[in-house]
Amino acid sequence: MLNKRFQKSNTIAALLVGFLFFSLSLGAKEEGVKLEWRPIPDAGGYQVEIKDSRGKITREKTNASQIQLELPPGAYEHRIGVLNKYGRVSVFSAWIPFEVILSQKPEVIAAEKNKFLTKDMPESFEIKGKHFTEATKVILKDSKGNEIPVKSIDIKNSETMVVTIDKKKAPEGAVSLRLENPRNKSTEKENYFFVAETEDELAALESKSSYSGASGTFDLGAAARSAVLPGWGQYYQKKSTFRTAIFPSLVLVAGGYAAARGSSYMSSINELDAARQSNILYNSAFLQSGDPALFNLALYNYTQISPKYSSAVGEYNQLGIALGILGFFYIINVVDAGFFPGPKQVKVEGTDAPVTVSPILRNAIESEKAATYASGNSYLLQQRMELGVEFAW
């Protein structure tokens, strides 16, 4: 009997080792960590044990062949135990290491050198940015949309990686770069660098990309976000706190005003309808009874219908104005997100670090405001707005 149990345990262990799935790098904590394995025949359930870097073990039992866990980023090990019909572990798999990483959208700054002659194209080049991990995927495409084979990716740290390509299949034209992190976090840079046979061809590529960039400046993603929730697109573009907060505030205030005007309009309509109904009742009662008092009451009520009608018309016009203001602020919010980008990092010749370029709209500083004297020994300060671009190193 013991020999049969021992043979069965060995069979389950072999199946467990063969069927177990694991991941060396799992995604961000906000969506949980999912461990999954193929089911073991005749298993009464499973016990999942997770061991952190300090050796602390947590245990979870499940009847399914997968489990969802909430784990902070770090290095872990796990093993799966098969439960028998008495709910006890009959056999464990070996400890298997895995890592939980916080997946964030990668960021890329402009390349230090973005022009290469075909003969000088390096086999390896450095990419600078943020949120690089071992799970980051690099995709390079030429101007025709063909993917450029990547031989290796060396992650130096979270802000630097070295990518090696096959020089035998060196790209030509404008090359785009796409970085992908787990959980569908990705970013893309068109015209990340240029490759051509001659200097003239390189100049032509740069000129063409500059023209394309100038004619296609509408940020559809940011505009769509602001269309769903005012201010979301501005937050996505990392604009100033003021520009991010002003649009939802304006839309909220305008929406409240429109709601108040709508309520007033409905009240005026109800009062007008009540006056008309009362007029019908008074006239009907007077015709049936002939009472002069009812005639006077009906006449007075009739004189009130006209001002109530005028009031309802006025409230309707006010409601139209309120809705127009609300629509104006909403459209301006979408236009700001779509046509006026947030800060961007560019590479300037003669500098080692990238430069952040931000559009600005602000009041002129006090020292630059002109004082205009008026009567009574008083003076007025002329208000002036500045529209321009701010460079930050």
Side-chain angles (χ1 to χ4, degrees):
M1 187 70 176
L2 289 174
N3 187 40
K4 287 183 179 180
R5 287 183 180 177
F6 179 74
Q7 289 178 352
K8 186 175 181 180
S9 296
N10 282 343
T11 302
I12 292 174
L15 287 171
L16 188 60
V17 171
F19 289 170
L20 189 63
F21 279 110
F22 65 95
S23 175
L24 291 175
S25 182
L26 298 174
K29 181 186 173 185
E30 67 265 16
E31 296 182 28
V33 174
K34 182 180 180 181
L35 293 176
E36 185 175 6
W37 56 93
R38 292 179 183 172
I40 305 299
D42 300 325
Y46 307 92
Q47 178 170 300
V48 181
E49 294 191 353
I50 306 293
K51 181 164 61 175
D52 62 20
S53 57
R54 296 173 298 176
K56 180 182 177 181
I57 298 176
T58 57
R59 297 174 176 86
E60 295 278 350
K61 287 186 177 181
T62 179
N63 291 324
S65 58
Q66 62 181 34
I67 191 169
Q68 196 82 11
L69 303 168
E70 292 294 333
L71 296 172
Y76 298 87
E77 292 182 273
H78 78 282
R79 66 178 182 176
I80 310 296
V82 180
L83 303 180
N84 57 27
K85 62 181 180 180
Y86 302 108
R88 297 180 179 178
V89 177
S90 59
V91 65
F92 271 110
S93 71
W95 284 103
I96 300 172
F98 68 97
E99 183 182 3
V100 178
I101 61 173
L102 180 61
S103 182
Q104 295 178 284
K105 181 179 179 179
E107 297 180 16
V108 180
I109 61 177
E112 292 186 5
K113 183 178 180 181
N114 69 334
K115 296 184 296 182
F116 302 96
L117 293 176
T118 303
K119 61 183 180 66
D120 299 328
M121 178 68 191
E123 187 175 20
S124 300
F125 56 92
E126 196 173 65
I127 298 176
K128 292 280 191 179
K130 290 182 179 179
H131 312 313
F132 300 161
T133 72
E134 295 294 337
T136 301
K137 184 179 179 181
V138 178
I139 301 173
L140 295 167
K141 290 187 177 181
D142 61 21
S143 53
K144 295 180 180 179
N146 299 319
E147 191 167 330
I148 301 163
V150 175
K151 292 176 64 176
S152 66
I153 302 170
D154 182 14
I155 305 295
K156 298 296 185 182
N157 52 57
S158 64
E159 297 182 351
T160 306
M161 69 168 70
V162 176
V163 176
T164 303
I165 62 174
D166 188 353
K167 283 202 69 173
K168 296 179 180 178
K169 300 179 180 179
E172 284 192 6
V175 177
S176 66
L177 168 68
R178 179 179 175 86
L179 300 183
E180 296 180 353
N181 276 345
R183 310 289 187 181
N184 298 319
K185 307 292 178 65
S186 63
T187 189
E188 190 164 354
K189 287 285 185 181
E190 294 185 358
N191 306 320
Y192 185 67
F193 60 82
F194 305 96
V195 183
E197 293 286 344
T198 65
E199 292 287 353
D200 290 341
E201 290 176 356
L202 278 177
L205 283 173
E206 277 194 297
S207 177
K208 182 179 178 181
S209 67
S210 299
Y211 176 78
S212 299
S215 61
T217 56
F218 185 75
D219 191 338
L220 180 60
R225 284 174 169 83
S226 285
V228 173
L229 181 65
W232 186 14
Q234 286 78 5
Y235 177 80
Y236 169 76
Q237 294 172 322
K238 297 183 179 179
K239 291 179 178 177
S240 65
T241 304
F242 174 78
R243 288 179 71 181
T244 300
I246 188 63
F247 293 108
S249 301
L250 289 174
V251 170
L252 186 63
V253 171
Y257 177 68
R261 295 270 46 102
S263 178
S264 298
Y265 171 66
M266 293 306 299
S267 297
S268 65
I269 287 294
N270 291 334
E271 290 179 5
L272 177 60
D273 287 341
R276 285 172 171 170
Q277 292 296 326
S278 298
N279 184 63
I280 293 173
L281 292 175
Y282 290 144
N283 286 332
S284 177
F286 169 71
L287 291 175
Q288 290 178 6
S289 65
D291 187 352
L294 289 174
F295 175 78
N296 293 333
L297 192 58
L299 181 62
Y300 173 77
N301 185 77
Y302 177 76
T303 60
Q304 298 303 305
I305 293 177
S306 180
K308 290 184 185 297
Y309 175 79
S310 298
S311 176
V313 171
E315 291 294 344
Y316 176 79
N317 292 333
Q318 289 294 320
L319 176 59
I321 293 173
L323 291 175
I325 294 173
L326 175 61
F328 174 76
F329 287 147
Y330 177 81
I331 292 172
I332 290 297
N333 150 71
V334 175
V335 168
D336 177 77
F339 289 101
F340 299 93
K344 290 188 175 181
Q345 289 187 321
V346 298
K347 179 66 179 176
V348 177
E349 262 187 68
T351 63
D352 295 328
V355 178
T356 301
V357 182
S358 310
I360 57 170
L361 177 63
R362 67 185 183 187
N363 283 322
I365 58 177
E366 290 291 333
S367 61
E368 294 180 355
K369 292 179 180 177
T372 303
Y373 285 87
S375 59
N377 295 326
S378 63
Y379 67 92
L380 302 173
L381 286 177
Q382 293 180 343
Q383 293 295 319
R384 190 176 70 202
M385 300 298 292
E386 293 179 334
L387 175 62
V389 178
E390 182 179 59
F391 297 86
W393 282 264

